[in-house]
Amino acid sequence: MRRLLVGLVAWSVLATVTACGSSGPGGEGEAGPSGPTTVKVGVVPVLDVAPLYLGEKQGFYADRGLELELSPAQGGAAIVPGVVSGQFQFGFSNTTSLLVARSKNMPVKAVANGAASTGKGGADFAAITVRKGSPLTSAKQLEGKKAAVNTLSNICDTSIKESVRKDGGDPSKVEFVEMPFDQMPAALDGGQVDAACTPEPALATVKAAGGKEIASNFYDVSPDLTVAMYFTSQRFADKNPELVKKFQEATAESLKYADSHPDEVRQILTTYTKIPTTLLEKLTLPRYPAEPDRPSIERLAELGERDGLFEKAPDLDELLP
């Protein structure tokens, strides 16, 4: 939450100085006299964003005159202020962080779907995991324990709370610890945390070390959960409708390609994460549907209100494409 508050202050200051982090008027990406338009995209180094890297490799963005400059960040809560301030033209964020941003009147607008749950409990691309030999076997047992999340007040802690709640536990008794996904396997092994929210490839890494999953937290929110989306600022969208349309079209093509080429999704992951090639076949892939699932997003909004993430309920019509 504090990241979003800081971002809101940054937006107030930067809005008077520059429209975006590029030289283009009104927030356009940078383009040479006859070359492609460079757009900066904030991403999280997880399996969810594989279609973006894959689409770039396949030329889907270049075909539309776009060149992507991809910048890794720890989580959506950190990327949101970057997009609002103009550091990035587009960003990737978990859905809860976007809902929190909208509830605070931060002008973010989803432009394309990101990733969705597999719809299978116990076989999702993310799970609550524990170390090898841990006595924990269910979400309820997280009461009084430490659970790692990539950023606070995002989809990880929201969904873990729902898993605990569904298992008959008290989610207010879970202590959340913030750390990057790629540090979670070691933190589990070393006993710094008792459990972790681990999407792929962290999930495969934990399992390879003998860890186990005790709940499918995304599935527990909704079997068809829209976990994340690509977004821009409302100002950028208003001033650059054609550029946004090109990004939307290229991303839609990338999502479709990724859904039908799972082996290529696995291989592209090695270009932006440190996952050993021996674990590639063990990865559980998310689904990459063309459109967000609104009922699942409404469910996340309900949970956000229940957990006190919002000062006022976010307007989904303002957020969703």
Side-chain angles (χ1 to χ4, degrees):
M1 188 74 71
R2 68 179 185 276
R3 292 177 181 271
L4 290 174
L5 290 172
V6 170
L8 186 56
V9 173
W11 162 245
S12 300
V13 175
L14 289 170
T16 63
V17 180
T18 179
C20 86
S22 75
S23 60
E28 290 86 352
E30 299 172 352
S34 59
T37 299
T38 299
V39 292
K40 299 175 183 179
V41 187
V43 296
V44 184
V46 289
L47 185 56
D48 308 37
V49 299
L52 205 67
Y53 287 86
L54 200 54
E56 182 183 35
K57 181 180 178 181
Q58 293 299 317
F60 300 150
Y61 294 92
D63 289 345
R64 294 167 175 83
L66 301 180
E67 181 175 323
L68 302 185
E69 183 178 316
L70 304 177
S71 300
Q74 186 166 322
I79 294 172
V80 167
V83 170
V84 172
S85 69
Q87 178 185 357
F88 308 122
Q89 281 78 54
F90 298 97
F92 174 87
S93 173
N94 73 86
T95 306
T96 295
S97 288
L98 293 177
L99 291 170
V100 171
R102 260 301 173 184
S103 76
K104 293 186 172 297
N105 294 320
M106 296 182 76
V108 294
K109 181 71 175 179
V111 296
N113 201 26
S117 166
T118 64
K120 300 176 182 178
D124 205 358
F125 78 100
I128 303 173
T129 54
V130 296
R131 74 180 68 84
K132 180 180 180 180
S134 171
L136 303 181
T137 58
S138 70
K140 183 181 186 300
Q141 294 174 325
L142 292 178
E143 292 180 347
K145 306 297 182 182
K146 293 181 180 179
V149 295
N150 63 319
T151 55
L152 298 173
S153 301
N154 83 348
I155 200 167
C156 268
D157 45 11
T158 294
S159 58
I160 288 176
K161 287 178 181 179
E162 180 65 358
S163 291
V164 172
R165 191 180 289 120
K166 281 191 168 183
D167 198 35
D170 183 351
S172 68
K173 294 181 179 179
V174 182
E175 179 182 350
F176 292 103
V177 179
E178 188 177 83
M179 67 178 63
F181 287 125
D182 61 4
Q183 293 180 15
M184 292 181 186
L188 283 173
D189 284 344
Q192 289 101 319
V193 293
D194 302 292
C197 173
T198 47
E200 297 287 16
L203 177 58
T205 303
V206 170
K207 288 182 175 180
K212 59 185 179 181
E213 61 179 86
I214 60 173
S216 297
N217 47 312
F218 290 168
Y219 176 87
D220 284 343
V221 173
S222 171
D224 297 314
L225 182 62
T226 294
V227 176
M229 295 181 285
Y230 296 95
F231 70 102
T232 188
S233 69
Q234 188 66 60
R235 187 176 190 276
F236 185 84
D238 291 342
K239 288 185 171 291
N240 303 278
E242 288 304 313
L243 192 155
V244 171
K245 183 180 179 182
K246 290 177 181 179
F247 182 85
Q248 287 175 316
E249 291 174 347
T251 303
E253 189 173 4
S254 300
L255 292 168
K256 183 178 179 180
Y257 187 89
D259 245 352
S260 58
H261 295 79
D263 290 341
E264 292 184 43
V265 170
R266 289 183 169 89
Q267 286 298 325
I268 203 73
L269 189 65
T270 65
T271 66
Y272 65 93
T273 74
K274 299 177 181 179
I275 184 171
T277 56
T278 54
L279 296 183
L280 292 179
E281 290 304 316
K282 298 179 180 180
L283 294 173
T284 300
L285 303 187
R287 290 183 298 117
Y288 299 113
E291 301 292 336
D293 180 76
R294 184 170 179 127
S296 74
I297 297 173
E298 291 172 348
R299 179 59 181 154
L300 278 175
E302 291 171 3
L303 293 176
E305 287 192 75
R306 182 171 185 172
D307 292 333
L309 295 184
F310 312 136
E311 294 179 3
K312 67 173 184 177
D315 188 329
L316 298 191
D317 292 332
E318 290 182 343
L319 172 63
L320 299 178

